[in-house]
Amino acid sequence: MSSTASEQPRPVRFGILGCASIARKLERAIQLAPGATVAAVGSRSEAKARRFAADNGLDAGVRVHGSYEALLDDPDVDAVYLPLPTSLHVRWATAAAGRGKHVLLEKPTALCTADLDAIVAACEAASVQFMDSTMMMHNLRTGRMREVLADKDAIGDIRMINSMLSFHAHEDFLQNDIRVKPDLDALGALGDLGWYCIRATLWAVDYELPKTVTALREPVKNQAGVLLACGASMHWEDGKVATFTCSFLASSAMDVTVVGTKGSLRLTDFVIPYEETSAAFSVASKLGVKELAIGWGPQPSQHVVATDLPQEALMVQEFARLVRNIRDAGADPEGMWPAITRKTQVVVDAVKVSIDKGCQPVDVTG
Amino acid sequence: MSSTASEQPRPVRFGILGCASIARKLERAIQLAPGATVAAVGSRSEAKARRFAADNGLDAGVRVHGSYEALLDDPDVDAVYLPLPTSLHVRWATAAAGRGKHVLLEKPTALCTADLDAIVAACEAASVQFMDSTMMMHNLRTGRMREVLADKDAIGDIRMINSMLSFHAHEDFLQNDIRVKPDLDALGALGDLGWYCIRATLWAVDYELPKTVTALREPVKNQAGVLLACGASMHWEDGKVATFTCSFLASSAMDVTVVGTKGSLRLTDFVIPYEETSAAFSVASKLGVKELAIGWGPQPSQHVVATDLPQEALMVQEFARLVRNIRDAGADPEGMWPAITRKTQVVVDAVKVSIDKGCQPVDVTG
């Protein structure tokens, strides 16, 4: 069915598959995003799904399913948002695609690239949209920073990148959270935090994969072998180098610094902006040193990007737009999103392989 | 001779040994610093020394020497500032100490720790003060940041450090500067820039040496094998990790980011403050995430430290104070300065050894 010009397009009806705490944020984002609505919630028990619906003030019309299968069988669900533990992604993302549901998948998308490939292949076979839930990609700031990076007079050729992402987990998290459990999220901090550092780095270099990746030595693991803190360096053919460190054991830091031949770009809240309604970054360019090097400048200039919708709602809006294109206008799924997901996963894999090999360098092959 | 309370102490009389361009900055610093004066300039030719004196408007009373030996033989010189190429440091710093001159030595202090040890031993034997010319150490900001780092409620235990230092060298520099010549400054960017990253890192951890140092792969070298860009990671027993990258091939960046268990500290002009009269850093502490992680904060707070004297004059002032203590009050030389110089040099050495070994980890032994 296609909508006429005078009609509002039918919203994309989301099913939330799993009631993880992050789902609360997405539920709100779906409600905020134009062209999207929460149609159903599914959990392993109906009671849990009902509690989620009640806790989040969902409309009485939102259907509540006592199993993931029941949610996927709901004919009035167009797309699923899937925040399950990573180890369950292959099973449920491919199942969703197999039932013709578009897939918005929480990160890290898979435990390894082969698993991700199975998910993406299922989405392609079903002609449904795939997108990972890396919200920062959709912040208006991200687009504005892309313009700065693309301006060769401002930044020039990128030479060095650093990113740091951390939060200080409480003892309860370190004992019980799915992100420290080997059977649920075996990638630990690398999957939960390193994912963003790697994505931001790839984003900065316009998704050119590095030639090699080398993990930093002495990653911190818990007793079950799950990473609590780690890092890596990435190296490109042209001499660019990027480093990142990520940690569940340090206070909140969300830094990206990109230094090019002509200038540099910095932000300290790259994953979650300090504020919902605006986000800032700084640019230093056309730098010079004063007489006798008694100072230099100009100092970085601050750029503030205002936004009406938070980045997660912008993500849902974009995802819903692509879904409507497919559902209502017969378009093909947008291939850019699974492609950048895959590059991110490939580098995550390379860091993991490097760690497993005692921090030896690993060649990256897309 | 000791001054009485009613007399001004006699200023420390500096001889500038070598007319490198950096000497212009120090000459100004000596003029600005209370208790210090430029007494003599020595160069390989008297004409060059005369030109330096004229170009910098030195008093007619400043003696001009046509050789380094003549400067060192000048009985009315208390201390030398030595900005010669690194390969000449052992010879001329030990010679200066041998003539009883206190030594303010440009960085990198030596090509290797053994050379530095020879210099420091000569200074100790002569009971003269040794200090390296790492100006940032003397910025008032540095002391203020130390207080913040020492406040365990503000930063907590340090977990991650990153520093980046770069400037985009012109073609003439890359062809002709002493810092890219294997016979003059064989450490290249590691000695010129990495020195500061390593010093800042050691400073942040209160000079606890790392357990291991591993160079980042694929350092950039010129045809003569001198480093133009490189980096390393450093690892401590307690899981702390630091990374740095430095480059002659990227635009000016001077970043230090320190992330602890409770907060973080950042500055983007750590080597040369943007302004002479004040310097800033930011601190993020007592961080929390807002409901549904739709934002976090508080945002880093900016701390500005005003100063009457630029950091290089404060360095000269402190060096002169120590020299007067020795000269006029019979005190011993202050051992803290050669000790932190040595730790810096030890880590510089470890990075170089790691690079020479194909970026294998190197154990650090103080």
Side-chain angles (χ1 to χ4, degrees):
Chain A
M1 187 203 312
S2 68
S3 57
T4 65
S6 61
E7 289 180 291
Q8 281 287 78
R10 276 194 302 125
V12 169
R13 299 161 301 178
F14 279 82
I16 297 176
L17 200 155
C19 297
S21 61
I22 186 71
R24 296 182 56 214
K25 184 167 177 171
L26 259 287
E27 177 275 318
R28 174 172 173 270
I30 295 166
Q31 305 287 14
L32 284 170
T37 187
V38 177
V41 177
S43 184
R44 280 170 296 175
S45 81
E46 199 176 313
K48 203 171 167 196
R50 282 204 186 286
R51 195 158 57 242
F52 181 89
D55 286 352
N56 292 282
L58 293 180
D59 277 357
V62 172
R63 293 176 296 286
V64 165
H65 297 291
S67 74
Y68 303 151
E69 286 89 349
L71 181 94
L72 295 183
D73 285 337
D74 187 331
D76 294 320
V77 164
D78 298 310
V80 295
Y81 164 64
L82 205 151
L84 298 175
T86 311
S87 60
L88 301 176
H89 283 190
V90 178
R91 175 170 171 197
W92 292 107
T94 56
R99 261 90 149 197
K101 312 302 187 193
H102 304 273
V103 175
L104 179 61
L105 184 61
E106 199 43 73
K107 40 56 60 182
T109 47
L111 294 172
C112 63
T113 306
D115 282 0
L116 175 66
D117 284 346
I119 294 169
V120 171
C123 290
E124 283 177 357
S127 292
V128 296
Q129 183 65 46
F130 172 91
M131 184 186 280
D132 70 46
S133 184
T134 307
M135 302 167 185
M136 67 184 185
M137 302 304 301
H138 304 270
N139 198 299
L140 296 184
R141 170 174 67 177
T142 308
R144 182 68 196 97
M145 292 192 297
R146 163 64 65 220
E147 292 170 17
V148 171
L149 290 178
D151 175 358
K152 288 295 178 192
D153 282 342
I155 306 296
D157 298 322
I158 292 172
R159 300 284 88 202
M160 311 191 291
I161 300 173
N162 175 258
S163 62
M164 299 171 105
L165 182 60
S166 56
F167 66 87
H168 196 198
H170 294 292
E171 197 51 38
D172 181 53
F173 177 102
L174 292 175
Q175 293 303 324
N176 302 313
D177 197 87
I178 62 169
R179 286 167 280 184
V180 298
K181 298 292 183 188
D183 54 335
L184 298 173
D185 264 304
L187 295 170
L190 174 59
D192 192 43
L193 304 177
W195 173 275
Y196 290 105
C197 297
I198 291 166
R199 169 62 62 84
T201 302
L202 290 173
W203 169 83
V205 303
D206 224 357
Y207 303 108
E208 180 192 357
L209 280 173
K211 187 178 58 165
T212 62
V213 167
T214 309
L216 301 185
R217 303 192 73 80
E218 306 189 36
V220 181
K221 298 178 182 180
N222 67 12
Q223 288 194 324
V226 176
L227 291 162
L228 303 180
C230 65
S233 62
M234 310 178 214
H235 304 268
W236 283 261
E237 201 70 63
D238 68 354
K240 267 194 300 288
V241 58
T243 54
F244 79 87
T245 50
C246 62
S247 179
F248 288 148
L249 307 173
S251 64
S252 296
M254 303 192 184
D255 291 39
V256 173
T257 306
V258 179
V259 183
T261 49
K262 294 194 176 170
S264 49
L265 179 150
R266 287 170 184 80
L267 65 168
T268 58
D269 60 348
F270 80 105
V271 172
I272 303 173
Y274 296 120
E275 302 291 340
E276 273 206 318
T277 52
S278 71
F281 62 102
S282 74
V283 176
S285 197
K286 302 180 177 58
L287 298 161
V289 166
K290 294 178 192 169
E291 171 66 4
L292 287 177
I294 58 173
W296 60 295
Q299 294 195 31
S301 59
Q302 194 78 353
H303 299 246
V304 179
V305 181
T307 181
D308 291 326
L309 286 175
Q311 60 185 12
E312 56 270 26
L314 293 169
M315 175 179 75
V316 170
Q317 182 177 23
E318 175 62 7
F319 182 74
R321 186 184 71 78
L322 295 172
V323 169
R324 284 201 312 276
N325 275 352
I326 299 164
R327 185 191 65 185
D328 302 339
D332 289 330
E334 171 57 72
M336 183 265 274
W337 293 108
I340 66 174
T341 301
R342 190 174 196 281
K343 289 185 176 189
T344 311
Q345 187 83 48
V346 161
V347 176
V348 168
D349 276 21
V351 175
K352 185 64 169 52
V353 169
S354 179
I355 289 171
D356 292 343
K357 285 179 159 181
C359 302
Q360 290 303 301
V362 170
D363 290 338
V364 176
T365 47
Chain B
M1 186 200 318
S2 69
S3 55
T4 66
S6 62
E7 289 180 292
Q8 280 288 77
R10 278 193 302 124
V12 169
R13 300 160 300 178
F14 279 83
I16 297 175
L17 200 155
C19 298
S21 60
I22 186 70
R24 297 183 54 215
K25 185 169 175 169
L26 259 287
E27 177 276 317
R28 173 173 174 270
I30 295 166
Q31 305 287 16
L32 284 171
T37 187
V38 177
V41 177
S43 186
R44 280 169 297 176
S45 81
E46 198 176 313
K48 204 171 165 196
R50 283 204 185 287
R51 196 159 56 241
F52 181 88
D55 286 351
N56 293 283
L58 292 179
D59 277 359
V62 173
R63 294 175 296 284
V64 164
H65 296 291
S67 73
Y68 302 151
E69 286 90 348
L71 181 94
L72 295 183
D73 286 336
D74 187 332
D76 294 320
V77 164
D78 299 307
V80 295
Y81 164 65
L82 204 151
L84 298 174
T86 311
S87 60
L88 301 175
H89 283 190
V90 178
R91 176 172 171 195
W92 292 106
T94 57
R99 260 90 148 197
K101 312 301 188 194
H102 304 272
V103 176
L104 179 61
L105 184 60
E106 199 42 74
K107 38 60 56 184
T109 45
L111 294 173
C112 63
T113 304
D115 282 1
L116 174 65
D117 284 345
I119 294 169
V120 171
C123 291
E124 283 177 358
S127 292
V128 295
Q129 183 64 46
F130 171 90
M131 185 187 278
D132 70 46
S133 183
T134 306
M135 303 167 184
M136 67 183 185
M137 301 305 300
H138 304 271
N139 198 299
L140 295 185
R141 170 173 67 178
T142 307
R144 182 68 195 98
M145 291 192 297
R146 163 64 66 220
E147 293 170 17
V148 172
L149 290 178
D151 175 358
K152 289 296 179 190
D153 282 340
I155 306 296
D157 298 323
I158 292 172
R159 300 284 87 202
M160 311 191 292
I161 301 173
N162 175 257
S163 63
M164 300 171 103
L165 183 59
S166 55
F167 66 86
H168 197 198
H170 294 293
E171 197 50 37
D172 180 53
F173 177 103
L174 292 175
Q175 293 303 322
N176 301 315
D177 196 88
I178 64 167
R179 286 168 281 184
V180 298
K181 298 291 184 189
D183 53 336
L184 297 173
D185 264 302
L187 294 170
L190 174 61
D192 193 43
L193 305 178
W195 173 276
Y196 290 105
C197 297
I198 290 166
R199 169 63 62 85
T201 301
L202 290 174
W203 168 84
V205 302
D206 222 358
Y207 304 108
E208 179 191 357
L209 281 173
K211 187 178 58 167
T212 62
V213 167
T214 310
L216 300 185
R217 303 193 73 80
E218 307 189 35
V220 181
K221 298 177 181 179
N222 67 11
Q223 288 195 324
V226 176
L227 291 162
L228 303 180
C230 66
S233 62
M234 309 178 215
H235 304 268
W236 283 261
E237 201 71 61
D238 68 354
K240 268 195 299 287
V241 57
T243 54
F244 79 85
T245 50
C246 62
S247 179
F248 289 148
L249 307 173
S251 63
S252 296
M254 302 191 184
D255 291 39
V256 173
T257 305
V258 179
V259 182
T261 49
K262 293 193 178 171
S264 49
L265 179 151
R266 290 171 182 79
L267 64 167
T268 59
D269 60 346
F270 80 104
V271 173
I272 303 173
Y274 296 121
E275 302 292 341
E276 273 205 318
T277 51
S278 71
F281 62 102
S282 74
V283 176
S285 197
K286 303 182 175 59
L287 298 161
V289 166
K290 294 179 193 170
E291 171 68 2
L292 288 178
I294 59 174
W296 60 295
Q299 294 195 32
S301 60
Q302 195 78 354
H303 299 245
V304 179
V305 182
T307 183
D308 291 326
L309 285 175
Q311 59 184 11
E312 55 271 27
L314 292 169
M315 176 180 74
V316 170
Q317 182 176 22
E318 174 63 7
F319 182 75
R321 185 182 72 79
L322 296 171
V323 169
R324 284 200 314 276
N325 275 350
I326 300 164
R327 186 192 65 186
D328 302 339
D332 289 329
E334 170 58 71
M336 183 267 275
W337 293 110
I340 66 174
T341 301
R342 189 174 197 280
K343 290 187 176 189
T344 311
Q345 187 82 47
V346 161
V347 176
V348 168
D349 275 21
V351 176
K352 185 64 167 55
V353 169
S354 179
I355 289 172
D356 292 344
K357 285 181 160 181
C359 302
Q360 290 303 302
V362 170
D363 290 337
V364 176
T365 47

